[in-house]
Amino acid sequence: MTDLRKYAGMALIALALLALPLVLTSMGTAWVRITNLAILFVFLSLGLNIVVGMAGLLDLGYIAFYAVGAYVYALLASPHFGLHLPFWVILPIGALLAGLAGAVLGAPTLRLRGDYLAIVTLGFGEIVRILMNNLSAPFNITNGPKGITRIDGLNVAGMSFNSTDTLFGISFTGPAKYYYILLLLLLCVIAVNLRLQKSRIGRAWVAIREDELAAKSAGINTRNVKLLAFAMGASFGGIAGGMFAAMQGFVSPESFILQESVMVLAMVVLGGMGNVWGVIAGALLLSFVPEFLRYTVEPAQKMLFGRLLVEPEVLRMLIFGVALVLTMRFRPAGLWPEARHRREFGEKRA
Amino acid sequence: MSVLLEALSVGKRFGGVQALKDVSLTIRAQEIYGLIGPNGAGKTTFFNVLTGLYTRDSGDVLLAGAPLPLGSPHLVARAGIARTFQNIRLFGNMTALENVMVGRHVRTRIGMFGAILRTRSQREEEAAIRRRAEELLHYVGIAHRANDLARHLAYGDQRRLEIARALATEPKLLALDEPAAGMNATETGALRQLILGLRADGLTVLLIEHDVKLVMGLCDRVAVLDYGEKIAEDVPEVVQKDAKVIEAYLGGNVGDSST
């Protein structure tokens, strides 16, 4: 009986997720794009969750791996170098290179923790961004601040993802098609996260977070396991970056600023470090709330005061700040912390 | 009895302080070996050198005849020395069971891809890890707390959990750093039974302890450190009467009324 209800619930959620872009399209394609970006942020948060949430390594430069993934895609599928490799070749390369970048960042920081690690990773994130900005001379690799344009969109079995198609009498816009492929990738990423969490490696990560010295003495090779966390988390970022490049058709260094790293970190912390479902909720919340504000703050102010007093963008950051301060004050472990509600919440969402 | 662990003139210096000076000692298989000494004598330093947390400056340590790796705790654990800490160091936000499962890490091998693909061998290994961890919790007598977070356990249970985690690494030598610290008489008595049981099951135990009564009653042989030097090593009855030991503990010639 409970099994039946569980499956029925899962089927309902699946149906809702499948129908979502069609509903959103009727509100305007913009909302589908917003949803897609939100899913990318879920990717990023889940990747960062491995590093920060599970292994407890405070990484403030995580967006660098997103940048690596995005640029790998951009360089291998655009007129910039005249390369047009298919996405199923590029995404793994992007994940691999981002993972490598993660290990490169991890190796010199193995002895650092907390604040010190945060500073180094922050620097690393900036270095990557500045590299992207300046690798236009003497050889033009990244095209500098102008970024790379006209990046190929996804193309599966001859179906382009950048145009509208009609299937079974329903028209699917480009963003809607991206939504489905993102949803598929997301399911994989969630599965990977959940499986890692309940594995020997996942336990080793958490053990290092809890007490590195004890973990070492209990026989964990902390160096390798930490590098693995950096690499694994980074490769998630790499995949997200690749999808971002494909969706936007354009990448430039200014998409990968520190504020984005901070945003992803905020998603992880707000949702509940270490808990996959909490992190997903945090990412969705922090992705959608600002967009709702964008659409409601301006009309609300005009209605109340007759004119625009505070720019939505400014207010957005203010509300963010207040929300985070309140969360840390009243729910320091995040909205859905790791241990406590894991089971109930996991069942509801799975 | 065969020799399990042999420390050969081990030295360790911190800046100007010679924390350990030419410490040599021999632990035989299936022995309960006590290491005592006044505060600051170098007991914990010796422990940390032994378990790879510190790198020794000189000397050698042989475990079952093979030299112990320098300065890498996880390799020491793999070689067969497990330890507990003076101030309990558990993974507070993991359950008791998970704590012990972490101890199995060094004896298992499924990596990331196995976990992601959840292969058959991964599932089997994972089940074996869980089974062994449950057995060990049962062995130390806290099976009923398996699913509680480690930091919610009572003090005595935390000590037991730490021992269970150490046992999970399948050690040849179990090194306990002041296991009775902060325990009342009942708890100490129970700990004593646990340690005797471990030895009966074939384990060798190295014990640092301040509770002299426990050490003298439990250990087969005792070494005494003072200012980083070994000043005595023998059966408890002899060590208790050793003039140097009495002097180290009481300072000066007070006679043999103590310890």
Side-chain angles (χ1 to χ4, degrees):
Chain A
M1 184 60 202
T2 42
D3 259 14
L4 199 70
R5 276 170 73 175
K6 205 171 106 188
Y7 287 126
M10 275 160 71
L12 265 176
I13 291 171
L15 212 62
L17 285 175
L18 285 176
L20 187 67
L22 305 175
V23 178
L24 288 178
T25 308
S26 65
M27 292 162 64
T29 327
W31 280 103
V32 186
R33 286 182 206 279
I34 290 167
T35 309
N36 287 348
L37 277 178
I39 295 178
L40 283 185
F41 272 105
V42 174
F43 266 62
L44 290 174
S45 307
L46 286 175
L48 188 62
N49 181 45
I50 291 179
V51 184
V52 180
M54 293 195 207
L57 305 160
L58 186 50
D59 184 348
L60 282 183
Y62 184 69
I63 212 70
F65 308 122
Y66 190 50
V68 169
Y71 267 88
V72 165
Y73 193 100
L75 295 175
L76 295 181
S78 74
H80 183 62
F81 284 150
L83 291 170
H84 297 280
L85 301 183
F87 81 97
W88 47 268
V89 173
I90 305 175
L91 281 186
I93 295 179
L96 207 72
L97 285 179
L100 205 67
V104 166
L105 166 67
T109 57
L110 283 170
R111 286 167 180 274
L112 303 179
R113 281 195 80 83
D115 321 4
Y116 302 99
L117 180 62
I119 292 168
V120 176
T121 52
L122 189 151
F124 178 82
E126 286 299 280
I127 288 170
V128 168
R129 186 180 62 81
I130 292 167
L131 268 179
M132 304 298 175
N133 235 331
N134 291 287
L135 277 181
S136 51
F139 308 107
N140 187 2
I141 300 174
T142 63
N143 210 21
K146 290 197 291 283
I148 295 169
T149 53
R150 289 192 289 144
I151 300 168
D152 304 348
L154 289 194
N155 200 316
V156 180
M159 181 179 76
S160 163
F161 274 64
N162 288 356
S163 57
T164 306
D165 271 311
T166 307
L167 220 64
F168 311 120
I170 308 169
S171 91
F172 291 93
T173 58
K177 283 186 275 183
Y178 275 109
Y179 169 86
Y180 289 115
I181 203 132
L182 283 172
L183 198 64
L184 200 69
L185 276 174
L186 182 63
L187 283 180
C188 297
V189 168
I190 291 174
V192 166
N193 238 283
L194 286 175
R195 286 179 169 195
L196 280 177
Q197 194 173 36
K198 284 187 182 166
S199 74
R200 172 173 172 267
I201 301 294
R203 277 193 303 273
W205 284 334
V206 178
I208 288 176
R209 179 190 76 195
E210 292 292 313
D211 190 330
E212 189 167 346
L213 192 71
K216 263 186 203 169
S217 297
I220 291 170
N221 182 340
T222 51
R223 184 196 60 203
N224 289 2
V225 169
K226 274 161 94 171
L227 282 181
L228 194 61
F230 271 116
M232 194 66 208
S235 63
F236 278 38
I239 294 175
M243 289 305 295
F244 174 74
M247 266 163 53
Q248 302 285 316
F250 166 71
V251 295
S252 77
E254 66 190 53
S255 301
F256 310 109
I257 53 176
L258 174 65
Q259 197 190 319
E260 299 290 317
S261 283
V262 172
M263 183 69 83
V264 178
L265 185 65
M267 289 168 176
V268 173
V269 173
L270 178 80
M273 279 200 272
N275 177 13
V276 170
W277 302 109
V279 167
I280 293 172
L284 291 178
L285 206 65
L286 287 195
S287 299
F288 279 117
V289 168
E291 300 302 332
F292 280 117
L293 290 178
R294 198 198 298 278
Y295 285 98
T296 51
V297 162
E298 224 180 290
Q301 286 188 46
K302 287 219 169 100
M303 204 174 77
L304 286 173
F305 312 112
R307 66 197 169 90
L308 193 63
L309 286 175
V310 192
E311 285 289 327
E313 195 66 16
V314 177
L315 200 64
R316 193 180 122 189
M317 292 321 283
L318 178 73
I319 292 178
F320 254 46
V322 172
L324 282 178
V325 168
L326 287 179
T327 313
M328 289 305 102
R329 169 65 186 79
F330 294 105
R331 293 194 74 101
L335 296 177
W336 289 278
E338 190 184 357
R340 239 176 299 165
H341 295 302
R342 187 195 288 163
R343 282 193 191 85
E344 304 98 76
F345 200 73
E347 269 173 19
K348 250 182 245 167
R349 296 285 302 255
Chain B
M1 264 194 281
S2 62
V3 170
L4 178 69
L5 183 112
E6 209 169 356
L8 303 166
S9 45
V10 170
K12 177 71 191 172
R13 173 182 280 281
F14 295 109
V17 180
Q18 186 81 43
L20 290 177
K21 195 175 165 194
D22 282 340
V23 175
S24 299
L25 39 86
T26 309
I27 302 177
R28 297 170 192 150
Q30 288 199 40
E31 184 171 53
I32 299 179
Y33 189 98
L35 187 61
I36 62 171
N39 284 326
K43 306 182 295 285
T44 298
T45 303
F46 181 78
F47 245 54
N48 288 342
V49 165
L50 187 67
T51 54
L53 288 180
Y54 296 159
T55 309
R56 56 184 182 267
D57 298 332
S58 57
D60 253 318
V61 183
L62 304 177
L63 182 71
L68 216 54
L70 271 173
S72 22
H74 72 275
L75 291 182
V76 172
R78 180 178 296 273
I81 298 182
R83 71 169 294 175
T84 65
F85 292 86
Q86 188 174 347
N87 43 340
I88 306 174
R89 301 188 79 133
L90 289 167
F91 309 123
N93 288 311
M94 299 174 92
T95 65
L97 186 68
E98 284 170 331
N99 267 271
V100 184
M101 286 169 88
V102 169
R104 294 299 298 158
H105 187 93
V106 71
R107 300 291 170 217
T108 47
R109 44 167 216 93
I110 296 288
M112 202 178 58
F113 292 106
I116 291 173
L117 300 174
R118 199 159 279 185
T119 53
R120 185 154 157 220
S121 53
Q122 193 267 348
R123 277 174 286 145
E124 280 167 6
E125 185 183 275
E126 191 69 11
I129 291 173
R130 174 173 291 266
R131 220 167 28 242
R132 183 76 189 123
E134 281 165 354
E135 283 167 16
L136 284 168
L137 282 180
H138 190 77
Y139 183 85
V140 300
I142 51 171
H144 59 290
R145 305 296 311 261
N147 293 317
D148 293 326
L149 293 187
R151 64 187 160 91
H152 291 158
L153 261 54
Y155 184 81
D157 288 350
Q158 290 193 349
R159 285 267 177 224
R160 283 164 181 274
L161 178 55
E162 218 188 4
I163 292 174
R165 183 181 70 195
L167 291 176
T169 66
E170 294 173 21
K172 297 187 181 94
L173 175 71
L174 179 66
L176 304 172
D177 194 350
E178 296 203 22
M183 281 188 170
N184 62 31
T186 323
E187 287 169 327
T188 307
L191 178 75
R192 195 189 139 91
Q193 289 310 314
L194 180 63
I195 294 174
L196 284 171
L198 287 171
R199 191 254 295 273
D201 289 335
L203 213 64
T204 310
V205 180
L206 168 62
L207 187 71
I208 291 186
E209 191 47 72
H210 264 313
D211 188 333
V212 175
K213 211 171 89 190
L214 178 71
V215 172
M216 294 304 175
L218 189 58
C219 295
D220 302 308
R221 288 192 308 138
V222 176
V224 186
L225 286 184
D226 190 30
Y227 293 109
E229 283 184 85
K230 187 180 81 177
I231 56 172
E233 180 186 26
D234 214 320
V235 294
E237 296 74 36
V238 177
V239 167
Q240 268 172 315
K241 297 198 174 74
D242 190 289
K244 270 184 173 165
V245 175
I246 294 166
E247 190 184 323
Y249 267 92
L250 298 174
N253 299 315
V254 184
D256 59 353
S257 59
S258 69
T259 50

